[in-house]
Amino acid sequence: MPSKGEHSEVLQTLARQSDDFAFLGDGGEMGARIAAYDWRATPLGPIESWSQSLRAITAFLLHSPVPLVMLWGDEGTMIYNDAYSRFAVDNHPRILGMPVREAWPEVADFNDNVMNVGLAGGTLAYKDHLLRLNRTGVFEDVWLDLDYSPVYDDAGRPAGVLAVVVEITDAVRSAAALRESEARLRFLDRLSGAIAASTDSDHILSIVTRMTGEELGVSICAYADMDEDQDGFTIRGDWVAERSHSIVGRYSLAAFGELAVQNLRAGRPLIVNDNRAELPAEAAAAFQGIGIGATICMPLVKQGRLTALMAVHHRAAHSWTETELATLREVTERSWAHIERVATAAELRMTAERLQHLNETLEERIEERSKALERSQTQFRLLVQGVTDYAIYMLDETGLVTSWNAGAERIKGYRPDEIIGRHFSTFYPDKDREAGEPGRALETARREGRFAAEGWRVRKDGTRFHASVVIDAIHDDAGELIGFAKITRDVTEREEAQRELELAREALFQSQKMEAIGQLTGGIAHDFNNLLTAIRGGLELLEKRVPDDPQTRRLLENAVKATDRGAALTQRMLAFARRQELETESVDIAALVSGMMELLQRSLGPSFAIDTRFPADLPPVAADVNQLEMALLNLAVNARDAMAGGGRLTIRAAAHELARGDLVDLPAGRYVRLTVADSGAGMDSETLARAADPFFTTKGVGKGTGLGLSMVHGFARQIGGMLQLESRLGAGTEAHIWLPLSTAAHRGGQVPADVDERDAGRAEVILVVDDDALILMNSAALLEDLGHVVIEANSGEEALDALFSRPDIGLMITDQAMPLMTGSELIARARRHRPELPIILATGYGETPIDIGPAVLRLGKPFGQSELRRAIDAVRK
């Protein structure tokens, strides 16, 4: 954030470039309104006399797409942009130029505090903040994200407050609705479990009324049966809260008013929030007479007749919510469906008992054969009717529905009286129906006797589901077609499981691909480091030997810088390949990000805002601080490039406990997920799939190496975590780094950066081992230039021979990756012969082999003469 002085200087520069009104620029509707407004009656004075800082800040907010309002001066005179005018609704344009206390009197105390803090140079921020505002003549709850910062006058003093006002009311309400829906589903699940084993309808309904009444917090929950005359009804049971009384008894529906009669007989619920205010006096008195002030009554209509009721009541007036209505509707449907299944099962048991009796009395069975056949047909009908997992129904020869079971009603949503007599093509999507799919299905069944397929079908409420469909032709004894039997099963869940399996397979393939690319990248980086070592050593020796010519010196310096850039590139490649040396320690993420904020803001620029969100109890993670900072900086720069015109960058973290299989690439355990989210253009699925591939970039030529995300991926994998990317076009990108929790700190051994650089001192006899002739020759030349005696060996065996024959060798420098015998194997054998011998391991890989022991110093390639000298000095100590 710029200092007060810098802020004032920027404002003065902007203002000097403007005439009296030119600073408003193309400020949209609000720019025109501000220009036309008579400011002479306000503390700001005529616009021609406005200060440079006031003009510059006004120009800034007018051109911002974010809702911004500036509160200038002690009174907080309001100047705002087009986005804020839409937030103000009917208060706009009345509040332009008004003191904020008068513009929003309902939150005057809140705004007084904002002004006091801001004019004192302080800032305020509120997230998910609730204010009750009057924007349309009616007070309403409004949820907001608010940020307040001071703005300064030409002298650098706080002169006002700039407010960022983002309304999130819809999101908050959607989240609340989702929580209510989840709670309702959990309750319905408990209710289903409670009544599952019961076979008595009264017992079922007593459980239902008790649990529903307690869940909704009502005074009474009751159920009733209707008489044949459709008016009289008997409340057979109820659950009653404290201070309420039972209403079991006989009643007349007409006594409760015409609204109750019309709605319930039509199958619509009766919903009354306040019977005194909403019903005629006589109907209200009928409710009040049994202690009811508000009610919801759900009807059960069978074959066009009102047969039963279930209701909840409050003693006093009560505004019923959509959640309460949906809960009672679902409870009613589920409980009555369970009662019908119980009744069907009871009837089946009775039928079975009768059939057994008939078998025992053969004579009677023959005599009543026709009756038994009829009962058998009834049993089959009831059996089919009781099936709820399959839609089983009959079609006539033209495709009209002639029967309908409970499963069909559950899966497709139609009651029998709504669908019987309609064509089965009703269940097909419009596109399939227009293409003639229903007709081809019937023709196949008519011709071949059977049709089977899977496809999309449509429920009554318009939702789609994936169905497995079988249509069988039905013929009479003479072989004439009399219709079709149709069975439909909802296989949506099976299809979703198959899709999840395919996603898991794709994730495994992607992981294996990245591992293979990583191995290849690590090998390339190693070879490249060897080449850079030879180049850099030769350049340093040339610098000492060439004439003191300025142009030649510049060329050599440029060549050395090029080798340094090449070394940085190989470090990124090693990071992606998970082969760099890490210094793992316990890291407080919130503190690390806080310490980087100045660097991040400077890297992003003034057009970008950075939000951080870390819980207070966030546990520390195990990571390499430098690599984690580099990873965050890479992700931040990528986010900046994705938001061409500026935007908001959010860095947040949260602890997670993963079970086995939650994420394909991570074992079970505790992790912290560190997220960098931007508000940019996002990526399509094809770009997202390749985003972490090495050398893949969507930036222009020369603007990126394509190794940023690859480095983050390799670093995360090396410390036991992973990089996870989520993005959609137009919705921004979220990059998640999963980091394991800290258990113990570990540091590897490398050449200290602060070893004193001194002359070589006494000359050493140094054994140099490398299978690469260029590296061997270059290293020997560097050492000889330092005054040492060098013995060269191009293999491990040759090095051992030299050690055995030359006891004057005082130090060994060896490469790691050599054929037949690696550097770590050579070190182990040399230690058996010369345990006290100082040894330096020079390697182009990033990691140190775990089997070399603590007394060996690692020297990373590429290295120059100064690094080589420091390594020799360090290993002598």
Side-chain angles (χ1 to χ4, degrees), residues 255-321:
F256 294 93
E258 185 62 26
L259 181 64
V261 173
Q262 291 178 354
N263 278 22
L264 295 175
R265 288 182 180 174
R268 299 189 299 269
L270 172 66
I271 305 172
V272 180
N273 298 310
D274 183 352
N275 51 46
R276 292 183 188 275
E278 300 174 19
L279 298 179
E282 291 183 2
F287 281 107
Q288 292 291 327
I290 57 176
I292 295 174
T295 187
I296 298 179
C297 186
M298 285 288 177
L300 173 63
V301 177
K302 287 186 176 181
Q303 299 178 347
R305 293 181 61 81
L306 180 64
T307 60
L309 304 170
M310 180 168 284
V312 291
H313 311 286
H314 272 289
R315 291 192 309 275
H318 174 76
S319 294
W320 299 102
T321 66

Coordinates of all heavy atoms in Angstrom, one line a residue, residues 255-321:
A255 N -67.4 -26.4 8.9 CA -67.3 -25.5 10.0 C -66.1 -24.7 10.0 O -66.0 -23.6 10.6 CB -67.4 -26.3 11.3
F256 N -65.0 -25.2 9.3 CA -63.7 -24.4 9.3 C -63.6 -23.5 8.1 O -62.5 -23.0 7.8 CB -62.6 -25.4 9.3 CG -62.5 -26.2 10.6 CD1 -63.2 -27.4 10.8 CD2 -61.9 -25.7 11.7 CE1 -63.1 -28.1 12.0 CE2 -61.8 -26.3 12.9 CZ -62.5 -27.6 13.1
G257 N -64.7 -23.3 7.3 CA -64.7 -22.3 6.3 C -64.6 -22.9 4.9 O -64.2 -24.0 4.6
E258 N -65.0 -22.0 3.9 CA -65.1 -22.4 2.5 C -63.6 -22.6 2.0 O -63.4 -23.5 1.1 CB -65.8 -21.3 1.7 CG -66.0 -21.6 0.2 CD -66.9 -22.8 0.0 OE1 -67.7 -23.1 0.9 OE2 -66.7 -23.5 -1.0
L259 N -62.7 -21.9 2.5 CA -61.3 -22.1 2.0 C -60.8 -23.5 2.3 O -60.1 -24.1 1.5 CB -60.4 -21.0 2.7 CG -58.9 -21.1 2.2 CD1 -58.8 -20.7 0.7 CD2 -58.0 -20.1 3.1
A260 N -61.1 -24.0 3.5 CA -60.7 -25.3 3.9 C -61.4 -26.3 3.0 O -60.7 -27.3 2.5 CB -61.0 -25.6 5.4
V261 N -62.6 -26.2 2.7 CA -63.4 -27.1 1.9 C -62.8 -27.2 0.5 O -62.5 -28.2 -0.1 CB -64.9 -26.8 1.8 CG1 -65.6 -27.7 0.8 CG2 -65.5 -26.9 3.2
Q262 N -62.6 -26.0 -0.1 CA -62.1 -25.9 -1.5 C -60.7 -26.5 -1.7 O -60.5 -27.3 -2.6 CB -62.2 -24.4 -2.0 CG -63.6 -23.9 -2.2 CD -63.5 -22.4 -2.6 OE1 -62.5 -21.8 -2.7 NE2 -64.7 -21.9 -2.9
N263 N -59.8 -26.0 -0.8 CA -58.4 -26.4 -1.0 C -58.2 -27.9 -0.7 O -57.6 -28.7 -1.5 CB -57.5 -25.7 0.0 CG -57.1 -24.3 -0.5 OD1 -57.8 -23.8 -1.4 ND2 -56.1 -23.7 0.0
L264 N -58.8 -28.4 0.4 CA -58.5 -29.8 0.8 C -59.2 -30.8 -0.2 O -58.6 -31.8 -0.6 CB -59.0 -30.1 2.2 CG -58.2 -29.3 3.2 CD1 -58.8 -29.4 4.6 CD2 -56.8 -29.6 3.3
R265 N -60.4 -30.5 -0.6 CA -61.1 -31.4 -1.6 C -60.4 -31.4 -3.0 O -60.5 -32.4 -3.7 CB -62.6 -31.0 -1.8 CG -63.4 -31.4 -0.5 CD -64.8 -31.0 -0.7 NE -65.7 -31.4 0.4 CZ -67.0 -31.1 0.6 NH1 -67.6 -30.4 -0.4 NH2 -67.6 -31.4 1.7
A266 N -59.7 -30.3 -3.3 CA -59.0 -30.2 -4.6 C -57.5 -30.8 -4.4 O -56.8 -30.8 -5.4 CB -58.9 -28.8 -5.0
G267 N -57.2 -31.3 -3.2 CA -55.9 -31.9 -3.0 C -54.8 -30.8 -2.8 O -53.6 -31.1 -2.8
R268 N -55.2 -29.6 -2.4 CA -54.2 -28.5 -2.1 C -54.2 -28.4 -0.6 O -55.2 -28.5 0.1 CB -54.6 -27.2 -2.8 CG -54.7 -27.2 -4.3 CD -54.9 -25.8 -4.8 NE -56.1 -25.2 -4.3 CZ -57.3 -25.3 -5.0 NH1 -57.4 -26.0 -6.1 NH2 -58.4 -24.7 -4.5
P269 N -53.0 -28.0 -0.1 CA -52.9 -27.8 1.4 C -53.6 -26.6 1.8 O -53.7 -25.6 1.1 CB -51.4 -27.7 1.6 CG -50.8 -27.2 0.3 CD -51.7 -27.9 -0.8
L270 N -54.1 -26.6 3.0 CA -54.7 -25.4 3.6 C -53.6 -24.8 4.5 O -53.1 -25.4 5.4 CB -55.9 -25.8 4.5 CG -56.5 -24.6 5.3 CD1 -57.1 -23.6 4.5 CD2 -57.5 -25.2 6.3
I271 N -53.3 -23.5 4.2 CA -52.2 -22.8 4.9 C -52.8 -21.5 5.5 O -53.2 -20.6 4.7 CB -51.0 -22.5 4.0 CG1 -50.5 -23.8 3.3 CG2 -49.9 -21.8 4.7 CD1 -49.5 -23.5 2.2
V272 N -52.8 -21.4 6.8 CA -53.4 -20.2 7.4 C -52.3 -19.7 8.5 O -52.0 -20.5 9.4 CB -54.7 -20.5 8.2 CG1 -55.2 -19.3 8.8 CG2 -55.7 -21.1 7.2
N273 N -51.8 -18.5 8.3 CA -50.9 -17.9 9.2 C -51.5 -17.3 10.4 O -51.0 -17.3 11.5 CB -50.0 -16.9 8.5 CG -49.2 -17.5 7.3 OD1 -48.6 -18.5 7.5 ND2 -49.3 -16.9 6.2
D274 N -52.7 -16.7 10.2 CA -53.4 -16.0 11.3 C -54.9 -16.1 11.0 O -55.4 -15.4 10.2 CB -53.0 -14.6 11.4 CG -53.6 -13.9 12.6 OD1 -54.5 -14.4 13.3 OD2 -53.2 -12.7 12.9
N275 N -55.6 -17.1 11.6 CA -57.0 -17.3 11.2 C -57.9 -16.1 11.6 O -58.9 -15.9 10.9 CB -57.6 -18.6 11.9 CG -57.3 -18.7 13.4 OD1 -57.6 -17.7 14.1 ND2 -56.9 -19.9 13.8
R276 N -57.6 -15.3 12.6 CA -58.4 -14.1 12.9 C -58.3 -13.1 11.7 O -59.3 -12.5 11.4 CB -57.9 -13.5 14.2 CG -58.2 -14.3 15.4 CD -57.7 -13.5 16.7 NE -57.8 -14.3 17.9 CZ -58.9 -14.4 18.6 NH1 -60.0 -13.9 18.2 NH2 -58.9 -15.1 19.7
A277 N -57.1 -13.0 11.1 CA -56.9 -12.0 10.1 C -57.3 -12.5 8.7 O -57.6 -11.7 7.8 CB -55.5 -11.5 10.1
E278 N -57.2 -13.8 8.5 CA -57.3 -14.3 7.1 C -58.6 -15.0 6.8 O -59.0 -15.3 5.7 CB -56.2 -15.3 6.9 CG -54.8 -14.7 7.0 CD -53.7 -15.7 6.9 OE1 -53.9 -16.8 6.3 OE2 -52.5 -15.5 7.3
L279 N -59.4 -15.4 7.9 CA -60.6 -16.2 7.7 C -61.8 -15.4 8.1 O -61.7 -14.5 9.0 CB -60.5 -17.5 8.4 CG -59.4 -18.5 8.0 CD1 -59.4 -19.7 8.9 CD2 -59.5 -18.9 6.5
P280 N -63.0 -15.8 7.6 CA -64.2 -15.2 8.1 C -64.4 -15.5 9.6 O -63.8 -16.5 10.1 CB -65.3 -15.8 7.3 CG -64.7 -16.3 6.0 CD -63.3 -16.6 6.4
A281 N -65.2 -14.7 10.3 CA -65.3 -14.8 11.7 C -65.7 -16.2 12.2 O -65.1 -16.7 13.2 CB -66.3 -13.7 12.3
E282 N -66.7 -16.8 11.5 CA -67.2 -18.1 12.0 C -66.1 -19.2 11.8 O -65.9 -20.0 12.7 CB -68.4 -18.5 11.2 CG -69.7 -17.6 11.5 CD -70.9 -18.1 10.7 OE1 -70.8 -19.2 10.0 OE2 -72.0 -17.5 10.9
A283 N -65.4 -19.2 10.7 CA -64.3 -20.1 10.5 C -63.2 -19.9 11.5 O -62.6 -20.9 12.0 CB -63.8 -20.0 9.0
A284 N -62.8 -18.7 11.7 CA -61.8 -18.4 12.7 C -62.2 -18.9 14.1 O -61.4 -19.4 14.8 CB -61.5 -16.9 12.7
A285 N -63.5 -18.7 14.4 CA -63.9 -19.1 15.7 C -63.8 -20.6 15.9 O -63.5 -21.1 17.0 CB -65.4 -18.6 15.9
A286 N -64.1 -21.4 14.8 CA -64.0 -22.8 14.9 C -62.5 -23.3 15.2 O -62.3 -24.2 16.0 CB -64.4 -23.5 13.5
F287 N -61.6 -22.6 14.6 CA -60.2 -22.9 14.9 C -59.8 -22.4 16.3 O -59.2 -23.2 17.1 CB -59.2 -22.2 13.9 CG -59.1 -22.9 12.6 CD1 -59.7 -22.4 11.4 CD2 -58.4 -24.0 12.5 CE1 -59.6 -23.0 10.2 CE2 -58.2 -24.7 11.3 CZ -58.8 -24.2 10.1
Q288 N -60.2 -21.2 16.7 CA -59.9 -20.7 18.0 C -60.6 -21.6 19.1 O -60.0 -21.7 20.2 CB -60.4 -19.2 18.1 CG -59.7 -18.2 17.3 CD -58.2 -18.0 17.7 OE1 -58.0 -18.1 18.9 NE2 -57.3 -17.8 16.8
G289 N -61.7 -22.2 18.8 CA -62.4 -23.0 19.8 C -61.6 -24.2 20.2 O -61.9 -24.8 21.3
I290 N -60.7 -24.7 19.4 CA -59.9 -25.9 19.7 C -58.4 -25.5 19.9 O -57.5 -26.3 19.9 CB -60.0 -27.0 18.7 CG1 -59.6 -26.5 17.3 CG2 -61.4 -27.6 18.7 CD1 -59.7 -27.6 16.2
G291 N -58.2 -24.2 20.2 CA -56.9 -23.7 20.6 C -55.9 -23.6 19.4 O -54.7 -23.8 19.6
I292 N -56.4 -23.2 18.2 CA -55.5 -23.1 17.1 C -55.5 -21.7 16.5 O -56.6 -21.1 16.3 CB -55.9 -24.1 16.0 CG1 -55.8 -25.5 16.4 CG2 -55.1 -23.9 14.7 CD1 -56.3 -26.6 15.5
G293 N -54.3 -21.1 16.3 CA -54.2 -19.8 15.8 C -53.7 -19.8 14.3 O -53.9 -18.9 13.5
A294 N -52.8 -20.8 14.0 CA -52.3 -21.0 12.7 C -52.2 -22.4 12.3 O -52.0 -23.3 13.2 CB -50.9 -20.3 12.6
T295 N -52.3 -22.8 11.0 CA -52.4 -24.2 10.7 C -51.9 -24.5 9.3 O -51.9 -23.6 8.4 CB -53.9 -24.7 10.8 OG1 -53.9 -26.1 10.6 CG2 -54.7 -24.1 9.7
I296 N -51.3 -25.7 9.1 CA -51.1 -26.2 7.8 C -51.8 -27.6 7.8 O -51.5 -28.4 8.6 CB -49.6 -26.4 7.4 CG1 -48.9 -25.1 7.4 CG2 -49.5 -27.1 6.0 CD1 -47.4 -25.2 7.1
C297 N -52.7 -27.8 6.8 CA -53.4 -29.1 6.7 C -53.1 -29.8 5.4 O -53.4 -29.1 4.3 CB -54.9 -28.9 7.0 SG -55.8 -30.5 7.1
M298 N -52.6 -31.0 5.3 CA -52.2 -31.7 4.1 C -53.3 -32.7 3.8 O -53.6 -33.6 4.7 CB -50.9 -32.4 4.2 CG -49.7 -31.4 4.1 SD -49.5 -30.8 2.4 CE -48.2 -29.7 2.7
P299 N -53.9 -32.7 2.6 CA -54.9 -33.7 2.2 C -54.3 -35.0 1.6 O -53.2 -34.9 0.9 CB -55.8 -33.0 1.2 CG -54.8 -32.1 0.5 CD -53.7 -31.7 1.5
L300 N -55.0 -36.1 1.7 CA -54.7 -37.3 1.0 C -55.9 -37.6 0.1 O -57.0 -37.8 0.6 CB -54.5 -38.5 1.9 CG -54.3 -39.8 1.2 CD1 -53.1 -39.8 0.2 CD2 -54.2 -41.0 2.2
V301 N -55.7 -37.5 -1.2 CA -56.8 -37.7 -2.2 C -56.5 -38.9 -3.0 O -55.5 -39.1 -3.6 CB -56.9 -36.5 -3.2 CG1 -58.0 -36.7 -4.2 CG2 -57.3 -35.2 -2.4
K302 N -57.5 -39.9 -2.9 CA -57.4 -41.1 -3.7 C -58.6 -41.3 -4.6 O -59.7 -41.1 -4.2 CB -57.3 -42.3 -2.7 CG -56.1 -42.5 -2.0 CD -56.1 -43.8 -1.1 CE -54.8 -44.0 -0.4 NZ -54.8 -45.3 0.3
Q303 N -58.2 -41.5 -5.9 CA -59.2 -41.7 -6.9 C -60.3 -40.5 -6.9 O -61.5 -40.7 -7.0 CB -59.9 -43.0 -6.8 CG -59.0 -44.2 -6.9 CD -59.6 -45.5 -6.7 OE1 -60.7 -45.6 -6.2 NE2 -58.9 -46.6 -7.1
G304 N -59.8 -39.3 -6.7 CA -60.6 -38.1 -6.7 C -61.3 -37.8 -5.5 O -62.1 -36.9 -5.4
R305 N -61.1 -38.6 -4.4 CA -61.9 -38.4 -3.2 C -60.9 -38.1 -2.0 O -59.8 -38.7 -1.9 CB -62.7 -39.7 -2.8 CG -63.8 -39.9 -3.8 CD -64.6 -41.2 -3.3 NE -65.2 -41.0 -2.0 CZ -66.3 -40.4 -1.7 NH1 -67.0 -39.8 -2.7 NH2 -66.8 -40.3 -0.5
L306 N -61.3 -37.1 -1.2 CA -60.5 -36.8 0.0 C -60.7 -37.9 1.0 O -61.8 -38.1 1.5 CB -61.0 -35.4 0.5 CG -60.3 -34.9 1.8 CD1 -58.8 -34.6 1.5 CD2 -61.0 -33.6 2.3
T307 N -59.6 -38.5 1.4 CA -59.8 -39.7 2.3 C -59.1 -39.5 3.7 O -59.5 -40.1 4.7 CB -59.1 -40.9 1.7 OG1 -57.7 -40.7 1.4 CG2 -59.8 -41.3 0.4
A308 N -58.1 -38.6 3.8 CA -57.4 -38.4 5.1 C -56.7 -37.1 5.1 O -56.6 -36.4 4.1 CB -56.4 -39.5 5.3
L309 N -56.4 -36.7 6.4 CA -55.7 -35.4 6.6 C -54.6 -35.5 7.6 O -54.6 -36.4 8.5 CB -56.7 -34.3 7.2 CG -58.0 -34.1 6.4 CD1 -58.9 -33.2 7.3 CD2 -57.7 -33.3 5.1
M310 N -53.5 -34.7 7.4 CA -52.5 -34.6 8.4 C -52.2 -33.1 8.6 O -52.1 -32.4 7.6 CB -51.2 -35.3 8.0 CG -50.1 -35.2 9.1 SD -48.7 -36.3 8.8 CE -49.5 -37.9 9.4
A311 N -52.1 -32.6 9.8 CA -52.0 -31.2 10.0 C -51.0 -30.9 11.2 O -50.8 -31.7 12.1 CB -53.4 -30.6 10.3
V312 N -50.5 -29.7 11.2 CA -49.7 -29.1 12.3 C -50.3 -27.8 12.6 O -50.8 -27.0 11.7 CB -48.2 -28.9 11.9 CG1 -47.5 -30.3 11.8 CG2 -48.0 -28.1 10.7
H313 N -50.3 -27.4 13.9 CA -51.0 -26.2 14.4 C -50.1 -25.5 15.4 O -49.3 -26.1 16.1 CB -52.3 -26.5 15.1 CG -53.2 -27.4 14.3 ND1 -53.9 -27.0 13.2 CD2 -53.5 -28.7 14.5 CE1 -54.6 -28.1 12.7 NE2 -54.4 -29.1 13.5
H314 N -50.3 -24.1 15.4 CA -49.7 -23.3 16.5 C -50.9 -22.6 17.2 O -51.9 -22.3 16.7 CB -48.8 -22.2 15.9 CG -47.4 -22.6 15.7 ND1 -46.5 -22.8 16.8 CD2 -46.7 -22.8 14.6 CE1 -45.4 -23.2 16.3 NE2 -45.4 -23.2 15.0
R315 N -50.7 -22.5 18.6 CA -51.7 -21.8 19.3 C -51.9 -20.4 18.9 O -53.1 -19.9 18.8 CB -51.3 -21.8 20.8 CG -51.3 -23.2 21.5 CD -51.2 -23.0 23.0 NE -50.1 -22.2 23.4 CZ -48.9 -22.6 23.6 NH1 -48.6 -23.9 23.3 NH2 -47.9 -21.8 23.9
A316 N -50.9 -19.7 18.6 CA -50.9 -18.3 18.2 C -50.7 -18.1 16.7 O -50.3 -19.1 16.0 CB -49.9 -17.4 19.0
A317 N -50.8 -16.9 16.2 CA -50.5 -16.7 14.8 C -49.0 -17.0 14.5 O -48.2 -16.8 15.4 CB -50.8 -15.2 14.4
H318 N -48.8 -17.5 13.3 CA -47.4 -17.9 12.9 C -47.3 -17.9 11.4 O -48.1 -18.4 10.7 CB -47.2 -19.4 13.4 CG -45.9 -19.9 13.0 ND1 -44.7 -19.6 13.6 CD2 -45.6 -20.8 12.0 CE1 -43.7 -20.3 13.0 NE2 -44.2 -21.0 12.0
S319 N -46.2 -17.3 11.0 CA -45.9 -17.2 9.5 C -45.2 -18.5 9.1 O -44.0 -18.7 9.4 CB -45.1 -16.0 9.2 OG -45.8 -14.8 9.5
W320 N -45.8 -19.3 8.4 CA -45.3 -20.6 8.0 C -44.2 -20.4 6.9 O -44.4 -19.6 6.0 CB -46.3 -21.6 7.5 CG -47.4 -21.9 8.5 CD1 -48.6 -21.4 8.6 CD2 -47.3 -22.8 9.6 NE1 -49.3 -21.9 9.6 CE2 -48.5 -22.8 10.3 CE3 -46.3 -23.7 10.0 CZ2 -48.8 -23.6 11.4 CZ3 -46.5 -24.4 11.1 CH2 -47.7 -24.4 11.8
T321 N -43.1 -21.1 7.0 CA -42.0 -21.0 6.1 C -42.1 -22.1 5.0 O -42.9 -23.1 5.2 CB -40.6 -21.2 6.7 OG1 -40.5 -22.5 7.3 CG2 -40.5 -20.2 7.9

